Amino acid sequence: MKKQLGSIALLVASSAASAQSSVVLYGRVDGGIEYLNHIANGNGGSSSLWSAEGGNWGTSMFGLKGSEDLGGGTAAIFNLETGLQIMNGTSGGGRMFSRRAYAGIKNETWGQLQAGRNLFIDSDGIWEFDPFVQQAVSSASLVRGRSWQQTSNNVEYHSPVWNGFDLQGQYAFGNQASGFNNGAAGEFGRSNGIMLTYHSPLFDVRGIYDELRDSNGRLSNIFQASREYFVGGNLRVQKFKFQAAYTHYFAPDTPAGLADRADHYWLGATYQATPKWAVTAAGFYIHVGDGAGDVAHDPGSHAMLYALGTTYNLSQRTFLYGTVAYVNNSKNGTFSVFATPRDSSSPTSPLAGQSQTGAYVGMMHMF
C-alpha cells in the first residue's frame, strides 16, 4: 500500500512539474510635448495650443498575461491590459482593464479561441499596415479614431499559420434582451469582423471586413458605427519599408440626407537609416461621399494629411520620437491632424475649410 501511495505521489509531482505556467507583467510609458494650431475656439475664431501630453506615439499601458501548459501542445491563456494617461495619472476610462480582459485556450494545431474584452478587429489589424503605426497622427486621424476602438463580450478565433496565411475572426455580442443587435448605453452593439493575412519575407497583404454597431444596433455613422472594407500591403526593399492601403466605410442606417459613405487611402515609407534611427513619411486622403452633416456626422468633404516622423532608439526598450503633420481640408471639411470625434466635448478640429499643423516630441519606455 505504501508503495502504491508513493507511486501516486510521484505521478502527481511529475504532472505538476510538467504543467508549466508563467505570468508576465508588461507595459509602456509615453510622454512628451505637443503643439497644435487653428483649433476652433467656439467663438468663430481659432487658437493655438502648447501642451504636455502622454500617449502621442502610443497609448501608455500596463498589463498581465500568462499561460499554463495543459499538455499535448495545448495551453490555457489570459491577458489583462489597461490604458494609462501619465500626465494626470488616470487609467482605463472608468474600467479596471480598458483594452484587454480575456481568457482562452491555445493549441499548436488548431489555433487560439478566447472570450472577453479586446481591441476591435480593425484596431488589432490596421496598425501593422500604417506607416505611423496608429500614433496620434496616423491612419486613425482622418477617420476620427474609428480604427482605435475596443469592444466587450468578444469571442475570437486566431488560426495557426498555414503556408504564410492566417485567419482571425471576432464576434462581439450586445448582451441585451431588448434586441439581439443592441448594446448597453454608451457601449457598442453587436459587432463582428474577419481578417485574412499573408506574410512573407518580402511583402505582407491583409484584408478585413467588419461591422461596428451603435448601442441601438444600427450602422448609423461612417466614423462611429459602420461597415468597413480594408485591404493593405507592406513591401520591404533593403532599408525601406513601403506601405499602402484602401478602406471603404458604409453606414446604411445613417439618417436620410446625411453622408453615409467614405473612402480612405494612404501611402507611406520608412527608411531605416541606421539600426537606431528611422525616418517615416506618409500621405493620407479621405473622401466623404455626398450628403449633409450635423453635430455627429461629417458632410460631403475631403482632406489630405501629410506627416513626417522619426524615431531614435536609446536602447532596446527606450526611444525618442518626433512627428510633424499638416492637414488641408476642403470647403466643408473639419478634419484635424489628430483623431478627434466630430461631436467631441474637447475638440482639436479646425473651422470648416481651414488647414491645421500639429507636432509632438517625446519618449517611449517599454518594460
Side-chain angles (χ1 to χ4, degrees):
M1 181 68 175
K2 289 182 178 179
K3 185 176 180 179
Q4 290 178 332
L5 291 175
S7 298
I8 293 173
L10 182 62
L11 178 62
V12 171
S14 176
S15 298
S18 64
Q20 298 180 356
S21 62
S22 66
V23 176
V24 176
L25 171 66
Y26 68 92
R28 63 190 189 194
V29 183
D30 178 319
I33 299 172
E34 172 186 296
Y35 168 77
L36 189 64
N37 71 4
H38 292 175
I39 305 170
N41 59 23
N43 298 317
S46 61
S47 305
S48 298
L49 175 68
W50 285 92
S51 59
E53 293 292 340
N56 272 334
W57 195 92
T59 303
S60 297
M61 62 185 180
F62 76 88
L64 292 165
K65 60 183 177 182
S67 65
E68 180 187 13
D69 186 358
L70 302 178
T74 301
I77 61 169
F78 77 91
N79 195 178
L80 303 171
E81 181 181 287
T82 193
L84 302 170
Q85 174 47 266
I86 67 169
M87 291 302 164
N88 55 26
T90 57
S91 66
R95 305 174 193 267
M96 181 175 289
F97 297 105
S98 60
R99 290 169 57 86
R100 307 180 198 267
Y102 64 77
I105 297 289
K106 184 176 183 178
N107 180 272
E108 296 174 356
T109 301
W110 53 258
Q112 178 175 317
L113 185 64
Q114 64 192 55
R117 180 173 173 83
N118 203 1
L119 303 181
F120 189 55
I121 193 166
D122 68 338
S123 179
D124 211 15
I126 288 178
W127 69 268
E128 188 178 348
F129 294 81
D130 179 351
F132 281 83
V133 291
Q134 297 281 56
Q135 293 181 38
V137 171
S138 67
S139 64
S141 297
L142 299 184
V143 298
R144 301 196 179 279
R146 203 277 192 186
S147 53
W148 276 352
Q149 305 303 325
Q150 301 91 36
T151 52
S152 300
N153 314 312
N154 275 325
V155 177
E156 295 187 36
Y157 171 72
H158 302 250
S159 77
V161 178
W162 302 301
N163 298 316
F165 289 93
D166 65 87
L167 181 71
Q168 179 179 340
Q170 182 184 87
Y171 195 97
F173 291 84
N175 280 17
Q176 302 299 304
S178 59
F180 186 69
N181 289 334
N182 295 353
E187 299 282 345
F188 290 109
R190 182 183 69 82
S191 303
N192 51 272
I194 189 167
M195 177 165 67
L196 178 65
T197 308
Y198 176 76
H199 287 292
S200 76
L202 178 61
F203 68 93
D204 316 305
V205 180
R206 174 168 292 163
I208 302 173
Y209 170 77
D210 65 66
E211 297 178 344
L212 186 63
R213 288 176 170 78
D214 63 23
S215 60
N216 295 316
R218 310 281 285 176
L219 300 166
S220 59
N221 189 309
I222 49 178
F223 298 135
Q224 294 180 13
S226 58
R227 292 192 175 105
E228 177 183 36
Y229 305 82
F230 168 88
V231 61
N234 299 329
L235 175 65
R236 289 171 284 274
V237 181
Q238 297 180 349
K239 292 186 177 183
F240 289 90
K241 182 179 183 180
F242 300 96
Q243 298 177 275
Y246 164 71
T247 310
H248 176 71
Y249 299 96
F250 178 46
D253 301 322
T254 299
L258 302 181
D260 64 357
R261 64 196 64 207
D263 295 288
H264 190 207
Y265 310 81
W266 69 78
L267 177 65
T270 297
Y271 174 57
Q272 192 70 47
T274 72
K276 291 186 175 182
W277 179 42
V279 179
T280 299
F284 304 88
Y285 176 76
I286 189 74
H287 178 266
V288 180
D290 293 340
D294 60 18
V295 67
H297 297 80
D298 281 278
S301 57
H302 57 89
M304 187 74 197
L305 171 66
Y306 305 92
L308 178 66
T310 186
T311 58
Y312 184 83
N313 295 326
L314 299 175
S315 70
Q316 290 186 339
R317 297 190 300 164
T318 304
F319 64 88
L320 305 177
Y321 63 83
T323 298
V324 60
Y326 171 81
V327 65
N328 184 24
N329 281 295
S330 68
K331 180 180 178 180
N332 295 323
T334 60
F335 292 98
S336 170
V337 297
F338 298 140
T340 305
R342 186 170 171 85
D343 59 356
S344 173
S345 59
S346 56
T348 65
S349 296
L351 295 170
Q354 195 170 56
S355 62
Q356 186 177 71
T357 300
Y360 49 81
V361 295
M363 181 182 78
M364 168 78 81
H365 175 74
M366 294 171 283
F367 60 89

CSV table of all heavy atoms in Angstrom, one decimal, residues 177-224:
chain,number,residue,atom,x,y,z
A,177,ALA,N,-31.3,42.0,-23.8
A,177,ALA,CA,-32.6,41.4,-24.0
A,177,ALA,C,-33.5,42.2,-24.9
A,177,ALA,O,-34.5,41.7,-25.5
A,177,ALA,CB,-33.3,41.0,-22.7
A,178,SER,N,-33.3,43.5,-25.0
A,178,SER,CA,-34.1,44.4,-25.8
A,178,SER,C,-34.0,44.2,-27.3
A,178,SER,O,-34.8,44.7,-28.0
A,178,SER,CB,-33.7,45.9,-25.4
A,178,SER,OG,-32.4,46.1,-25.7
A,179,GLY,N,-32.9,43.6,-27.7
A,179,GLY,CA,-32.7,43.3,-29.1
A,179,GLY,C,-31.3,42.7,-29.4
A,179,GLY,O,-30.4,43.1,-28.7
A,180,PHE,N,-31.3,41.7,-30.3
A,180,PHE,CA,-30.0,41.0,-30.4
A,180,PHE,C,-28.9,41.8,-30.9
A,180,PHE,O,-27.7,41.6,-30.5
A,180,PHE,CB,-30.3,39.9,-31.5
A,180,PHE,CG,-29.1,38.9,-31.6
A,180,PHE,CD1,-28.7,38.1,-30.6
A,180,PHE,CD2,-28.3,38.9,-32.8
A,180,PHE,CE1,-27.6,37.2,-30.8
A,180,PHE,CE2,-27.2,38.1,-33.0
A,180,PHE,CZ,-26.9,37.2,-31.9
A,181,ASN,N,-29.1,42.9,-31.7
A,181,ASN,CA,-28.1,43.8,-32.2
A,181,ASN,C,-27.7,44.9,-31.2
A,181,ASN,O,-26.8,45.6,-31.4
A,181,ASN,CB,-28.5,44.4,-33.5
A,181,ASN,CG,-28.4,43.3,-34.6
A,181,ASN,OD1,-27.7,42.3,-34.6
A,181,ASN,ND2,-29.2,43.5,-35.7
A,182,ASN,N,-28.6,45.1,-30.2
A,182,ASN,CA,-28.4,46.2,-29.3
A,182,ASN,C,-27.2,46.1,-28.3
A,182,ASN,O,-26.8,44.9,-28.1
A,182,ASN,CB,-29.7,46.5,-28.5
A,182,ASN,CG,-30.8,46.9,-29.4
A,182,ASN,OD1,-30.7,47.1,-30.6
A,182,ASN,ND2,-32.0,47.0,-28.8
A,183,GLY,N,-26.7,47.2,-27.8
A,183,GLY,CA,-25.7,47.2,-26.8
A,183,GLY,C,-26.2,48.1,-25.6
A,183,GLY,O,-27.2,48.8,-25.7
A,184,ALA,N,-25.5,48.0,-24.5
A,184,ALA,CA,-25.8,48.8,-23.3
A,184,ALA,C,-25.5,50.3,-23.7
A,184,ALA,O,-24.7,50.6,-24.6
A,184,ALA,CB,-24.9,48.4,-22.1
A,185,ALA,N,-26.1,51.2,-22.9
A,185,ALA,CA,-25.9,52.6,-23.1
A,185,ALA,C,-24.5,52.9,-23.0
A,185,ALA,O,-23.8,52.5,-22.1
A,185,ALA,CB,-26.8,53.4,-22.1
A,186,GLY,N,-24.0,53.7,-24.0
A,186,GLY,CA,-22.5,54.0,-24.0
A,186,GLY,C,-21.6,53.0,-24.5
A,186,GLY,O,-20.4,53.2,-24.6
A,187,GLU,N,-22.2,51.8,-24.9
A,187,GLU,CA,-21.3,50.7,-25.5
A,187,GLU,C,-21.7,50.5,-26.9
A,187,GLU,O,-22.7,51.0,-27.4
A,187,GLU,CB,-21.6,49.4,-24.7
A,187,GLU,CG,-21.3,49.5,-23.2
A,187,GLU,CD,-19.8,49.4,-22.9
A,187,GLU,OE1,-19.1,49.0,-23.9
A,187,GLU,OE2,-19.4,49.8,-21.8
A,188,PHE,N,-20.9,49.7,-27.6
A,188,PHE,CA,-21.2,49.3,-29.0
A,188,PHE,C,-22.3,48.2,-28.9
A,188,PHE,O,-22.4,47.4,-27.9
A,188,PHE,CB,-20.0,48.8,-29.7
A,188,PHE,CG,-19.0,49.9,-30.0
A,188,PHE,CD1,-17.8,50.0,-29.4
A,188,PHE,CD2,-19.3,50.9,-31.0
A,188,PHE,CE1,-16.9,51.0,-29.7
A,188,PHE,CE2,-18.5,51.9,-31.3
A,188,PHE,CZ,-17.2,52.0,-30.6
A,189,GLY,N,-23.0,48.1,-30.0
A,189,GLY,CA,-23.9,46.9,-30.1
A,189,GLY,C,-23.2,45.7,-30.7
A,189,GLY,O,-22.0,45.7,-30.7
A,190,ARG,N,-24.0,44.7,-31.1
A,190,ARG,CA,-23.4,43.5,-31.7
A,190,ARG,C,-22.5,43.9,-32.9
A,190,ARG,O,-22.9,44.6,-33.8
A,190,ARG,CB,-24.5,42.6,-32.2
A,190,ARG,CG,-23.9,41.3,-32.8
A,190,ARG,CD,-25.0,40.4,-33.3
A,190,ARG,NE,-25.6,40.9,-34.5
A,190,ARG,CZ,-25.1,40.8,-35.7
A,190,ARG,NH1,-23.9,40.2,-35.9
A,190,ARG,NH2,-25.7,41.3,-36.8
A,191,SER,N,-21.2,43.5,-32.8
A,191,SER,CA,-20.2,43.8,-33.8
A,191,SER,C,-19.4,42.6,-34.2
A,191,SER,O,-19.3,41.7,-33.4
A,191,SER,CB,-19.3,44.9,-33.3
A,191,SER,OG,-20.1,46.1,-32.9
A,192,ASN,N,-18.8,42.6,-35.4
A,192,ASN,CA,-18.1,41.4,-35.8
A,192,ASN,C,-17.1,41.8,-36.9
A,192,ASN,O,-17.2,42.8,-37.5
A,192,ASN,CB,-19.1,40.4,-36.3
A,192,ASN,CG,-20.1,40.9,-37.4
A,192,ASN,OD1,-21.1,41.4,-37.0
A,192,ASN,ND2,-19.7,40.8,-38.6
A,193,GLY,N,-16.2,40.8,-37.2
A,193,GLY,CA,-15.3,41.0,-38.3
A,193,GLY,C,-14.4,39.8,-38.6
A,193,GLY,O,-14.4,38.9,-37.8
A,194,ILE,N,-13.8,39.8,-39.7
A,194,ILE,CA,-12.9,38.7,-40.2
A,194,ILE,C,-11.7,39.3,-40.9
A,194,ILE,O,-11.8,40.3,-41.6
A,194,ILE,CB,-13.7,37.7,-41.1
A,194,ILE,CG1,-12.8,36.5,-41.3
A,194,ILE,CG2,-14.1,38.4,-42.4
A,194,ILE,CD1,-13.6,35.3,-41.9
A,195,MET,N,-10.6,38.7,-40.6
A,195,MET,CA,-9.3,39.2,-41.2
A,195,MET,C,-8.5,38.1,-41.7
A,195,MET,O,-8.2,37.1,-41.0
A,195,MET,CB,-8.5,39.9,-40.1
A,195,MET,CG,-7.2,40.5,-40.5
A,195,MET,SD,-6.6,41.7,-39.2
A,195,MET,CE,-6.3,40.6,-37.8
A,196,LEU,N,-8.0,38.2,-43.0
A,196,LEU,CA,-7.1,37.3,-43.6
A,196,LEU,C,-5.8,37.9,-44.0
A,196,LEU,O,-5.8,39.0,-44.6
A,196,LEU,CB,-7.8,36.7,-44.9
A,196,LEU,CG,-7.0,35.7,-45.7
A,196,LEU,CD1,-6.7,34.4,-44.9
A,196,LEU,CD2,-7.7,35.4,-47.0
A,197,THR,N,-4.7,37.3,-43.6
A,197,THR,CA,-3.4,37.9,-43.8
A,197,THR,C,-2.4,36.9,-44.5
A,197,THR,O,-2.5,35.7,-44.2
A,197,THR,CB,-2.8,38.3,-42.4
A,197,THR,OG1,-3.7,39.1,-41.7
A,197,THR,CG2,-1.5,39.1,-42.6
A,198,TYR,N,-1.5,37.4,-45.3
A,198,TYR,CA,-0.4,36.6,-45.8
A,198,TYR,C,0.9,37.4,-45.5
A,198,TYR,O,1.0,38.6,-45.8
A,198,TYR,CB,-0.5,36.5,-47.4
A,198,TYR,CG,0.7,35.7,-47.9
A,198,TYR,CD1,0.8,34.4,-47.8
A,198,TYR,CD2,1.7,36.4,-48.6
A,198,TYR,CE1,1.9,33.7,-48.3
A,198,TYR,CE2,2.8,35.8,-49.1
A,198,TYR,CZ,2.9,34.4,-49.0
A,198,TYR,OH,4.0,33.7,-49.5
A,199,HIS,N,1.8,36.7,-44.9
A,199,HIS,CA,3.1,37.2,-44.6
A,199,HIS,C,4.2,36.5,-45.3
A,199,HIS,O,4.2,35.2,-45.5
A,199,HIS,CB,3.4,37.1,-43.1
A,199,HIS,CG,2.6,38.0,-42.2
A,199,HIS,ND1,2.8,39.4,-42.2
A,199,HIS,CD2,1.7,37.8,-41.3
A,199,HIS,CE1,2.0,39.9,-41.3
A,199,HIS,NE2,1.3,39.0,-40.8
A,200,SER,N,5.2,37.2,-45.8
A,200,SER,CA,6.4,36.6,-46.4
A,200,SER,C,7.6,37.5,-46.1
A,200,SER,O,7.4,38.7,-45.7
A,200,SER,CB,6.2,36.5,-47.9
A,200,SER,OG,6.4,37.7,-48.6
A,201,PRO,N,8.8,37.1,-46.3
A,201,PRO,CA,10.0,37.9,-46.1
A,201,PRO,C,10.0,39.2,-46.9
A,201,PRO,O,10.5,40.3,-46.4
A,201,PRO,CB,11.2,37.1,-46.4
A,201,PRO,CG,10.7,35.7,-46.3
A,201,PRO,CD,9.2,35.7,-46.7
A,202,LEU,N,9.4,39.2,-48.1
A,202,LEU,CA,9.4,40.4,-49.0
A,202,LEU,C,8.2,41.3,-48.8
A,202,LEU,O,8.3,42.5,-48.8
A,202,LEU,CB,9.5,39.9,-50.4
A,202,LEU,CG,9.4,41.0,-51.5
A,202,LEU,CD1,10.6,42.0,-51.3
A,202,LEU,CD2,9.4,40.4,-52.9
A,203,PHE,N,7.0,40.7,-48.6
A,203,PHE,CA,5.8,41.5,-48.6
A,203,PHE,C,4.7,40.9,-47.7
A,203,PHE,O,4.8,39.7,-47.4
A,203,PHE,CB,5.2,41.8,-50.0
A,203,PHE,CG,4.7,40.6,-50.6
A,203,PHE,CD1,3.3,40.2,-50.5
A,203,PHE,CD2,5.5,39.7,-51.4
A,203,PHE,CE1,2.8,39.1,-51.2
A,203,PHE,CE2,5.0,38.6,-52.0
A,203,PHE,CZ,3.6,38.3,-51.9
A,204,ASP,N,3.7,41.7,-47.3
A,204,ASP,CA,2.6,41.2,-46.5
A,204,ASP,C,1.3,41.8,-47.1
A,204,ASP,O,1.3,42.9,-47.7
A,204,ASP,CB,2.6,41.7,-45.0
A,204,ASP,CG,4.0,41.6,-44.4
A,204,ASP,OD1,4.5,40.4,-44.4
A,204,ASP,OD2,4.6,42.6,-43.9
A,205,VAL,N,0.2,41.1,-47.1
A,205,VAL,CA,-1.1,41.6,-47.6
A,205,VAL,C,-2.1,41.2,-46.5
A,205,VAL,O,-2.1,40.1,-46.0
A,205,VAL,CB,-1.4,40.9,-48.9
A,205,VAL,CG1,-2.8,41.5,-49.4
A,205,VAL,CG2,-0.4,41.3,-50.0
A,206,ARG,N,-3.1,42.1,-46.3
A,206,ARG,CA,-4.1,41.8,-45.3
A,206,ARG,C,-5.5,42.4,-45.8
A,206,ARG,O,-5.5,43.5,-46.4
A,206,ARG,CB,-3.8,42.4,-44.0
A,206,ARG,CG,-4.9,42.3,-42.9
A,206,ARG,CD,-4.4,42.7,-41.5
A,206,ARG,NE,-3.5,41.7,-41.1
A,206,ARG,CZ,-2.7,41.9,-40.0
A,206,ARG,NH1,-2.6,43.0,-39.4
A,206,ARG,NH2,-1.9,40.9,-39.7
A,207,GLY,N,-6.5,41.6,-45.6
A,207,GLY,CA,-7.9,42.1,-45.9
A,207,GLY,C,-8.8,42.0,-44.7
A,207,GLY,O,-8.6,41.0,-43.9
A,208,ILE,N,-9.6,43.0,-44.4
A,208,ILE,CA,-10.5,43.0,-43.3
A,208,ILE,C,-11.9,43.4,-43.7
A,208,ILE,O,-12.1,44.3,-44.5
A,208,ILE,CB,-10.0,44.0,-42.2
A,208,ILE,CG1,-8.6,43.6,-41.7
A,208,ILE,CG2,-11.0,43.9,-41.0
A,208,ILE,CD1,-8.0,44.7,-40.8
A,209,TYR,N,-12.9,42.7,-43.2
A,209,TYR,CA,-14.3,43.1,-43.3
A,209,TYR,C,-14.8,43.1,-41.9
A,209,TYR,O,-14.7,42.2,-41.1
A,209,TYR,CB,-15.1,42.2,-44.1
A,209,TYR,CG,-16.6,42.5,-44.0
A,209,TYR,CD1,-17.2,43.6,-44.7
A,209,TYR,CD2,-17.5,41.8,-43.2
A,209,TYR,CE1,-18.5,44.0,-44.6
A,209,TYR,CE2,-18.8,42.1,-43.1
A,209,TYR,CZ,-19.3,43.2,-43.8
A,209,TYR,OH,-20.6,43.6,-43.7
A,210,ASP,N,-15.5,44.2,-41.5
A,210,ASP,CA,-16.1,44.3,-40.1
A,210,ASP,C,-17.3,45.2,-40.1
A,210,ASP,O,-17.5,46.0,-41.0
A,210,ASP,CB,-15.0,44.8,-39.1
A,210,ASP,CG,-14.6,46.2,-39.3
A,210,ASP,OD1,-15.4,47.1,-39.2
A,210,ASP,OD2,-13.4,46.5,-39.6
A,211,GLU,N,-18.1,45.0,-39.0
A,211,GLU,CA,-19.3,45.8,-38.8
A,211,GLU,C,-19.2,46.2,-37.3
A,211,GLU,O,-19.1,45.4,-36.4
A,211,GLU,CB,-20.5,44.9,-39.0
A,211,GLU,CG,-20.7,44.5,-40.5
A,211,GLU,CD,-21.9,43.6,-40.7
A,211,GLU,OE1,-22.5,43.1,-39.6
A,211,GLU,OE2,-22.3,43.4,-41.8
A,212,LEU,N,-19.3,47.5,-37.1
A,212,LEU,CA,-19.2,48.1,-35.8
A,212,LEU,C,-20.5,48.8,-35.6
A,212,LEU,O,-20.8,49.9,-36.2
A,212,LEU,CB,-18.0,49.0,-35.6
A,212,LEU,CG,-17.8,49.7,-34.3
A,212,LEU,CD1,-17.4,48.6,-33.2
A,212,LEU,CD2,-16.6,50.7,-34.4
A,213,ARG,N,-21.4,48.4,-34.7
A,213,ARG,CA,-22.7,48.9,-34.5
A,213,ARG,C,-22.8,49.8,-33.3
A,213,ARG,O,-22.1,49.7,-32.3
A,213,ARG,CB,-23.8,47.8,-34.3
A,213,ARG,CG,-24.0,47.0,-35.6
A,213,ARG,CD,-25.0,45.9,-35.4
A,213,ARG,NE,-25.5,45.3,-36.6
A,213,ARG,CZ,-24.8,44.4,-37.3
A,213,ARG,NH1,-23.5,44.1,-36.9
A,213,ARG,NH2,-25.2,44.0,-38.5
A,214,ASP,N,-23.8,50.8,-33.3
A,214,ASP,CA,-24.0,51.6,-32.2
A,214,ASP,C,-24.9,50.9,-31.1
A,214,ASP,O,-25.2,49.7,-31.4
A,214,ASP,CB,-24.7,53.0,-32.6
A,214,ASP,CG,-26.0,52.8,-33.2
A,214,ASP,OD1,-26.7,51.8,-33.0
A,214,ASP,OD2,-26.5,53.7,-34.0
A,215,SER,N,-25.2,51.5,-30.0
A,215,SER,CA,-25.9,50.8,-28.9
A,215,SER,C,-27.3,50.4,-29.3
A,215,SER,O,-27.9,49.6,-28.7
A,215,SER,CB,-25.9,51.7,-27.7
A,215,SER,OG,-26.6,52.9,-27.9
A,216,ASN,N,-27.8,51.1,-30.4
A,216,ASN,CA,-29.2,50.7,-30.9
A,216,ASN,C,-29.1,49.6,-32.0
A,216,ASN,O,-30.1,49.3,-32.6
A,216,ASN,CB,-29.9,51.9,-31.4
A,216,ASN,CG,-30.2,53.0,-30.4
A,216,ASN,OD1,-30.6,52.6,-29.3
A,216,ASN,ND2,-29.9,54.2,-30.7
A,217,GLY,N,-27.9,49.1,-32.2
A,217,GLY,CA,-27.7,48.0,-33.1
A,217,GLY,C,-27.7,48.5,-34.6
A,217,GLY,O,-27.8,47.7,-35.5
A,218,ARG,N,-27.5,49.8,-34.8
A,218,ARG,CA,-27.6,50.4,-36.1
A,218,ARG,C,-26.2,50.7,-36.6
A,218,ARG,O,-25.2,51.0,-35.9
A,218,ARG,CB,-28.4,51.7,-36.1
A,218,ARG,CG,-29.8,51.5,-35.4
A,218,ARG,CD,-30.8,50.9,-36.3
A,218,ARG,NE,-31.3,51.8,-37.3
A,218,ARG,CZ,-32.1,51.4,-38.3
A,218,ARG,NH1,-32.6,50.2,-38.3
A,218,ARG,NH2,-32.5,52.3,-39.1
A,219,LEU,N,-26.0,50.7,-38.0
A,219,LEU,CA,-24.8,51.2,-38.7
A,219,LEU,C,-25.1,52.6,-39.1
A,219,LEU,O,-25.5,52.9,-40.3
A,219,LEU,CB,-24.5,50.3,-39.8
A,219,LEU,CG,-24.3,48.8,-39.5
A,219,LEU,CD1,-24.3,47.9,-40.7
A,219,LEU,CD2,-23.0,48.6,-38.7
A,220,SER,N,-25.0,53.6,-38.2
A,220,SER,CA,-25.6,54.9,-38.3
A,220,SER,C,-24.6,56.0,-38.6
A,220,SER,O,-25.1,57.2,-38.7
A,220,SER,CB,-26.4,55.2,-37.1
A,220,SER,OG,-25.5,55.2,-35.9
A,221,ASN,N,-23.3,55.8,-38.6
A,221,ASN,CA,-22.3,56.9,-38.7
A,221,ASN,C,-21.1,56.3,-39.3
A,221,ASN,O,-20.5,55.4,-38.7
A,221,ASN,CB,-22.1,57.5,-37.3
A,221,ASN,CG,-21.2,58.8,-37.4
A,221,ASN,OD1,-20.2,58.8,-38.1
A,221,ASN,ND2,-21.7,59.8,-36.8
A,222,ILE,N,-20.6,56.9,-40.4
A,222,ILE,CA,-19.5,56.3,-41.1
A,222,ILE,C,-18.2,56.2,-40.3
A,222,ILE,O,-17.4,55.2,-40.4
A,222,ILE,CB,-19.1,57.1,-42.4
A,222,ILE,CG1,-19.0,58.6,-42.2
A,222,ILE,CG2,-20.1,56.8,-43.5
A,222,ILE,CD1,-18.7,59.4,-43.4
A,223,PHE,N,-18.0,57.1,-39.3
A,223,PHE,CA,-16.8,57.0,-38.5
A,223,PHE,C,-17.1,56.6,-37.0
A,223,PHE,O,-16.2,56.6,-36.2
A,223,PHE,CB,-16.1,58.4,-38.5
A,223,PHE,CG,-15.7,58.9,-39.8
A,223,PHE,CD1,-15.9,60.2,-40.3
A,223,PHE,CD2,-15.0,58.0,-40.7
A,223,PHE,CE1,-15.5,60.6,-41.5
A,223,PHE,CE2,-14.6,58.4,-41.9
A,223,PHE,CZ,-14.8,59.7,-42.4
A,224,GLN,N,-18.3,56.1,-36.7
A,224,GLN,CA,-18.6,55.6,-35.4
A,224,GLN,C,-19.2,54.3,-35.4
A,224,GLN,O,-18.9,53.4,-34.5
A,224,GLN,CB,-19.5,56.6,-34.7
A,224,GLN,CG,-18.9,58.0,-34.4
A,224,GLN,CD,-19.8,58.9,-33.6
A,224,GLN,OE1,-20.9,58.5,-33.1
A,224,GLN,NE2,-19.5,60.2,-33.6
